Amino acid sequence: MYGGREDVALLATVTLFGVLLQAYFSWQVITARRRFRVSPPATTGPPEFERVFRAQANCTEYFPLFLAVLWVAGIFFHQGTAAACGLLYLAARYKYFHGYAVSPEGRLGPLYFSARVLWLLIALSALGLASHFLPASLKMSLLRRLVVMG
Amino acid sequence: MYGGREDVALLATVTLFGVLLQAYFSWQVITARRRFRVSPPATTGPPEFERVFRAQANCTEYFPLFLAVLWVAGIFFHQGTAAACGLLYLAARYKYFHGYAVSPEGRLGPLYFSARVLWLLIALSALGLASHFLPASLKMSLLRRLVVMG
Amino acid sequence: MYGGREDVALLATVTLFGVLLQAYFSWQVITARRRFRVSPPATTGPPEFERVFRAQANCTEYFPLFLAVLWVAGIFFHQGTAAACGLLYLAARYKYFHGYAVSPEGRLGPLYFSARVLWLLIALSALGLASHFLPASLKMSLLRRLVVMG
């Protein structure tokens, strides 16, 4: 049977860390608004401000995608693996944010890394779902073929 | 008993398709940034670029709302129906994106269609939740009245 | 055993209210676009329009964070408490939106209140998760110490 709290507790923990990271990014934008005197509703100003603003906007944009594949991979593939990928993703986003604040080039390395982790979570989700929908008989015959080949 | 993987597998599959579609839209924005030479953090440029940028922004904005009602409708009304609506919504968003890339008017048809599918998912969610909270005795008497009227 | 529909029905209901509120905010932006003649893809115009636009953007940005902690707090701490906090948050966001539409200062009171409710949900999530991961033996000894102190 599936569906107890223990089956999603690690996913929920990584989700909470993600929310805290997004709250931290929001705080950085508020600080940048004060430092560079860009009052709401304006979203344009000196490049230093715009980089911080866009860094937060980009992380915010990807956050729902991240949560979606974190949970699908965690429920249909393996909770611990998905949670570990989730922590890597959040660490990459932290580096991305501070890299972008310094220069547009500084964002690229961590951005590519975070994208690779996201694709890994997508692949794990697809694998987990495929294995869920594959009939057990087909799975058995595939497994037997692998054993015979091995 | 509710809560097994089989009760959400179709919802998770549609969610994964949605994430892939959003990744595709992000890729289109990156391509448009290169073609029209709009380097981050800038978000303004020729109208052709701004339409692609806004198309992605609008899809991104609605994605969490879509996921929320997809899952509530799928859990409280009917999984298969919600998943089918979900696929329709994603198809409409694909058409919307490419329509908007051509002209602001090109986005309207698929936008209205996607809004109608979203309202349908909202209605199914409301129905499912209402039926969950309605006491069984009241449901029975409503049903009996319908039978008598029929 | 955890995982039945009744364990998340209140969370799903507040989620649905949240989606309806976001749909209402989107509608207000469409109305403001017409009133102030700001056609898509433009997002700049008179300050009255930009305030409505930014109010919706800010609510949209926080919506996934809100849903994430609503569900984590509701599943790991207490469903009813989380749902009640959720309703308070949505009420604050409604006031924020209309306050911002009038003036940038008008957004501040409800914004701070909504942030406080969000932090409360974050704290409840953290408490719920900590209590989930704490070994039962440690919980017992902590409880016994509290009883002895009392």
Side-chain angles (χ1 to χ4, degrees), chain B residues 26-116:
Chain B
S26 290
W27 179 250
Q28 295 291 309
V29 173
I30 293 169
T31 307
R33 276 191 179 282
R34 283 181 198 153
R35 194 184 314 143
F36 301 107
R37 292 162 194 265
V38 182
S39 295
T43 60
T44 49
E48 289 83 2
F49 169 75
E50 293 198 1
R51 287 202 306 272
V52 171
F53 182 80
R54 282 301 306 159
Q56 192 255 357
N58 188 284
C59 293
T60 301
E61 196 172 282
Y62 278 86
F63 193 61
L65 307 187
F66 164 64
L67 286 188
V69 287
L70 171 71
W71 284 75
V72 173
I75 291 173
F76 286 90
F77 185 81
H78 183 264
Q79 190 189 190
T81 311
C85 289
L87 290 179
L88 275 181
Y89 177 85
L90 294 177
R93 278 298 180 169
Y94 179 86
K95 282 194 166 183
Y96 161 86
F97 187 89
H98 286 292
Y100 205 168
V102 175
S103 76
E105 292 73 36
R107 82 188 197 288
L108 291 177
L111 183 63
Y112 295 152
F113 185 77
S114 77
R116 249 173 264 136

Side-chain angles (χ1 to χ4, degrees), chain A residues 16 19-20, chain C residues 69-70 72-74 76-78 81 85 115-131:
Chain A
L16 186 62
V19 169
L20 289 171
Chain C
V69 288
L70 171 71
V72 173
F76 286 90
F77 185 80
H78 184 264
T81 310
C85 289
R116 249 172 265 136
V117 179
L118 211 57
W119 280 109
L120 181 56
L121 280 169
I122 288 173
L124 298 182
S125 299
L127 266 172
L129 284 167
S131 142

Side-chain angles (χ1 to χ4, degrees), chain A residues 1-6 8-10 12-13 15-16 18-20 22-23 26-27 30 33-34 40-43 53 56-57 60 63-64 67 71, chain C residues 1-4 47 50-51 54 60-62 64-66 68-69 72 74-77 100 104 107 112 118-119 121-123 125-126 129 132-133:
Chain A
M1 194 38 225
Y2 188 87
R5 275 191 195 93
E6 62 282 3
V8 295
L10 294 176
T13 305
T15 298
L16 186 62
V19 169
L20 289 171
Q22 289 292 131
S26 289
W27 179 249
I30 292 168
R33 276 191 179 283
R34 282 182 198 151
T43 60
F53 182 80
Q56 191 257 356
T60 301
F63 193 61
L67 286 188
W71 284 75
Chain C
M1 193 39 222
Y2 187 86
E50 293 198 2
R51 287 201 306 272
R54 283 301 306 161
T60 301
E61 196 172 283
Y62 278 85
L65 307 186
F66 164 64
V69 288
V72 173
I75 291 173
F76 286 90
F77 185 80
Y100 205 168
R107 83 188 196 288
Y112 295 152
L118 211 57
W119 280 109
L121 280 169
I122 288 173
S125 299
L129 284 167
H132 177 85
F133 283 115

Side-chain angles (χ1 to χ4, degrees), chain A residues 35-104:
Chain A
R35 196 185 313 142
F36 302 108
R37 291 162 194 263
V38 182
S39 294
T43 60
T44 50
E48 290 82 2
F49 169 75
E50 293 198 1
R51 287 201 307 272
V52 171
F53 182 80
R54 282 301 306 160
Q56 191 257 356
N58 189 283
C59 294
T60 301
E61 197 172 282
Y62 278 85
F63 193 61
L65 306 186
F66 164 64
L67 286 188
V69 288
L70 171 71
W71 284 75
V72 173
I75 290 173
F76 286 90
F77 185 81
H78 184 263
Q79 189 188 192
T81 311
C85 289
L87 290 179
L88 275 181
Y89 177 85
L90 294 177
R93 279 298 179 169
Y94 179 86
K95 281 194 167 183
Y96 161 87
F97 187 90
H98 287 291
Y100 205 168
V102 175
S103 75

